[in-house]
Amino acid sequence: MKDTHDISPAAQAELWRDRYSKVALIGGRLVPSANAIEVIEPAHMTVLGEVAANDAADVDAAVAAAKAAAHDWAETPARERGRLVAEAGRIMLAQLEPLAHLLARETGKAIRTECRGEIRVAADLLEMFGGLGSEIKGETLPFAPDVFAATTREPVGVVGAILPWNVPLVLMMLKIAPALVAGNPVVIKASEVAPFATYACAEMLAALLPEGVINVVCGSGAECGQALVDHRDVAKITFTGSEAVGEKIYISAAKRLIPVSLELGGKSPMIVCADVDLERAVEGAVTGMRFTRQGQSCTAASRIYVHADIHDAFVAALKARLDTLVIGDPLDEATDIGTISSPQQVAKVKGYVALADAAPEAEVIRCAKLPEADTVAPDLFLQPTLVLGIDPQSPVVQEEIFGPVTVIRKWTSYDEVMAQANDTEFGLAASIWTKDLATALTASKQLDAGFVQVNAGFTIQPNLSYGGFGRSGLGKEASLESMLEHFTRKKTVVLSMS
Ligand code: NAD
């Protein structure tokens, strides 16, 4: 890659956009693709660029490059692998501004509130996993006096990593950092909606790693993604995305008996008790619902249960706080909230709001001001929306909206609110807000979710095991445990000394 330190972040972002136009990264080289998909810049509804529409033959070439690199990468000492991965994190951080610029343009997320932070977390994941090479160790087993028995951990082989558009860089590193440190080569299927920053980061890694250890393809899920899942030389699939696609991938992988990890959707409850510090809980709802990401988060607090004693005050304070947020051009430093990612997603979110508008029992409160049409194309901007009092069986309460819409319900009985909170097929995240320790501990035991928080609404954090129950997915990410369970296989070795 050309050294471009002396050019502006915007110009560097455009250079990357052009560099990664209609190519796959295979075996350390950018390989032109015959077909392309348009990438739309949602804030302006203009074409940002074109990304490769790779087919099964391209996927085959990427997997072959990865397979050819597998042996030597597995033989590279684990700490050396980790050192290279951590070094890539430092290089990414040095390119924070242009990367944030590109990410803001392709995802529509605000550069100040979302994109810079995403790059910091992605780099942090590279650094964290980079330091875990020494932890890929086995155990000695008590078996018989004249037999030495032990386990070792080996790489699994070529890993296929399939990414969505909402937080592409963090989700990319959650998958490939542990896979690489554990000794596996990877083939990434970038999101066709927001691919360019993924390519830029992958090439930063590729510049450090042996040829073929990291490869990137892009294209439609049905053609390119499915070809990766079905490829006979792919030993493991790690996927983040929708429930429907996750189910399809699980079925395909079952036919080849390969392991999969799936991070899917959520409909996460936030329970607010009467004893809370109201201001803190309101701020927790703004953060927990990821309003600055337009609610496009699998852990979004999209069902908020507020005790009747403070319900009205909470709603009023939340509305007042959301009204202060600026919706606008993702690249404007004054902007808190950017756009929804695509017209299809806007249509989906509007469909749920229309259902709420039509429900006689519900009240719909729209917050903050939409931007003026002279600075942006207004199509993909939506207001943060609160839906009060809607029937708990409504699709607005039961289904993942993946937009800036949260349901707020009043409660008085702890047992009833706990039953409502758990009345979902998902089980990704949940939070309870209270000053009472016994309530907090009881609820954290009873809440049926993989990530339970008390008085906090964090998103995915390096070193905290993260993953859902039920239809939210299979397996954990972000931790040492995730690296060992998903990206190594355990072998038992016995040695007879007699
Ligand atoms: P999506 O499922 O439509 O697509 C995700 C990726 O899968 C894309 O790269 C797509 O091209 C690919 N794909 C589609 N069909 C495929 C197939 N048959 N085989 C292989 N790959 C295929 O999801 P999206 O719209 O990009 O992302 C939004 C969804 O992701 C939301 O539903 C959200 O809940 C979920 N999500 C979950 C988490 C989590 O950690 N649990 C995080 C972010 C997003």
Side-chain angles (χ1 to χ4, degrees):
M1 253 191 300
K2 198 172 135 201
D3 185 4
T4 48
H5 283 298
D6 49 350
I7 67 171
S8 72
Q12 175 62 67
E14 298 217 332
L15 279 180
W16 278 330
R17 185 266 322 267
D18 295 343
R19 181 173 175 81
Y20 304 122
S21 176
K22 293 191 268 183
V23 290
L25 173 63
I26 299 179
R29 289 183 313 113
L30 296 175
V31 180
S33 153
N35 299 306
I37 297 176
E38 281 185 347
V39 177
I40 303 297
E41 182 167 0
H44 300 284
M45 284 303 286
T46 47
V47 177
L48 174 63
E50 287 185 305
V51 71
N54 289 128
D55 60 15
D58 300 323
V59 170
D60 190 43
V63 174
K67 192 179 173 195
H71 176 268
D72 288 357
W73 185 239
E75 294 288 301
T76 304
R79 286 192 61 205
E80 173 62 8
R81 296 191 302 249
R83 193 189 63 73
L84 295 170
V85 166
E87 175 63 16
R90 286 186 280 277
I91 290 170
M92 251 184 90
L93 276 184
Q95 298 287 346
L96 187 139
E97 276 308 315
L99 277 174
H101 202 95
L102 189 54
L103 194 61
R105 289 190 69 185
E106 65 183 7
T107 61
K109 294 189 298 184
I111 190 164
R112 177 176 55 83
T113 55
E114 290 291 328
C115 297
R116 292 194 184 102
E118 172 167 355
I119 290 151
R120 287 192 192 98
V121 175
D124 195 13
L125 283 163
L126 289 171
E127 191 187 331
M128 183 205 104
F129 280 111
L132 293 180
S134 310
E135 297 301 320
I136 306 168
K137 51 199 179 194
E139 302 135 346
T140 53
L141 310 169
F143 177 59
D146 55 350
V147 175
F148 176 79
T151 59
T152 58
R153 286 194 179 267
E154 302 176 340
V156 291
V158 177
V159 170
I162 302 176
L163 308 180
W165 43 258
N166 61 333
V167 209
L169 299 185
V170 166
L171 299 174
M172 167 186 181
M173 300 317 170
L174 278 180
K175 299 179 181 329
I176 70 164
L180 291 170
V181 174
N184 307 282
V186 299
V187 177
I188 297 164
K189 153 68 177 82
S191 163
E192 63 276 35
V193 178
F196 295 121
T198 302
Y199 273 86
C201 292
E203 212 186 11
M204 288 173 202
L205 273 152
L208 296 169
L209 305 179
E211 210 175 275
V213 169
I214 179 165
N215 307 276
V216 186
V217 290
C218 196
S220 76
E223 186 169 13
C224 178
Q226 191 67 48
L228 186 61
V229 174
D230 289 339
H231 199 289
R232 66 182 183 286
D233 290 328
V234 171
K236 152 93 191 178
I237 289 288
T238 166
F239 169 81
T240 296
S242 62
E243 216 189 322
V245 174
E247 196 178 307
K248 226 182 251 177
I249 288 176
Y250 198 20
I251 291 168
S252 303
K255 289 188 187 145
R256 296 204 298 113
L257 286 177
I258 61 162
V260 288
S261 30
L262 304 173
E263 295 295 343
L264 310 177
K267 191 77 182 176
S268 304
M270 168 178 181
I271 300 172
V272 184
C273 299
D275 65 346
V276 288
D277 171 339
L278 192 68
E279 207 178 311
R280 189 170 166 202
V282 165
E283 209 48 50
V286 176
T287 322
M289 179 52 205
R290 320 272 181 256
F291 275 114
T292 58
R293 200 187 295 161
Q294 289 279 49
Q296 297 175 128
S297 162
C298 42
T299 49
S302 49
R303 293 181 294 144
I304 305 182
Y305 297 92
V306 186
H307 193 276
D309 289 356
I310 58 162
H311 175 273
D312 294 356
F314 179 92
V315 171
L318 181 57
K319 157 104 174 95
R321 174 70 179 97
L322 291 172
D323 282 342
T324 68
L325 297 180
V326 176
I327 308 177
D329 186 339
L331 290 174
D332 187 335
E333 294 293 336
T335 294
D336 295 298
I337 302 179
T339 73
I340 297 280
S341 65
S342 67
Q344 294 83 343
Q345 192 67 20
V346 167
K348 182 181 158 200
V349 178
K350 282 188 170 168
Y352 285 106
V353 177
L355 276 180
D357 278 330
E361 75 284 8
E363 182 188 352
V364 180
I365 302 176
R366 291 169 173 83
C367 309
K369 261 186 25 216
L370 287 170
E372 303 295 338
D374 55 345
T375 51
V376 288
D379 317 36
L380 300 200
F381 291 89
L382 289 179
Q383 288 170 284
T385 303
L386 312 177
V387 177
L388 272 52
I390 195 161
D391 179 352
Q393 292 314 312
S394 160
V396 180
V397 184
Q398 292 295 325
E399 296 172 13
E400 183 182 51
I401 298 176
F402 222 61
V405 181
T406 190
V407 167
I408 301 185
R409 293 190 57 79
K410 209 181 267 189
W411 65 274
T412 47
S413 146
Y414 173 85
D415 290 342
E416 268 172 37
V417 77
M418 201 50 67
Q420 285 194 31
N422 286 336
D423 180 20
T424 169
E425 291 194 302
F426 296 110
L428 192 54
S431 69
I432 176 132
W433 295 71
T434 178
K435 288 183 183 147
D436 184 68
L437 197 55
T439 305
L441 287 175
T442 309
S444 46
K445 194 171 158 198
Q446 292 173 341
L447 283 165
D448 200 8
F451 185 23
V452 176
Q453 305 189 52
V454 178
N455 298 328
F458 291 117
T459 180
I460 301 169
Q461 298 292 319
N463 204 35
L464 297 187
S465 226
Y466 169 81
F469 299 161
R471 290 188 67 83
S472 287
L474 291 173
K476 299 291 177 195
E477 291 194 315
S479 57
L480 171 62
E481 167 201 358
S482 75
M483 177 169 84
L484 298 178
E485 281 186 14
H486 298 309
F487 299 112
T488 69
R489 55 184 196 182
K490 207 174 198 181
K491 180 178 276 179
T492 301
V493 177
V494 294
L495 190 153
S496 169
M497 293 180 287
S498 57

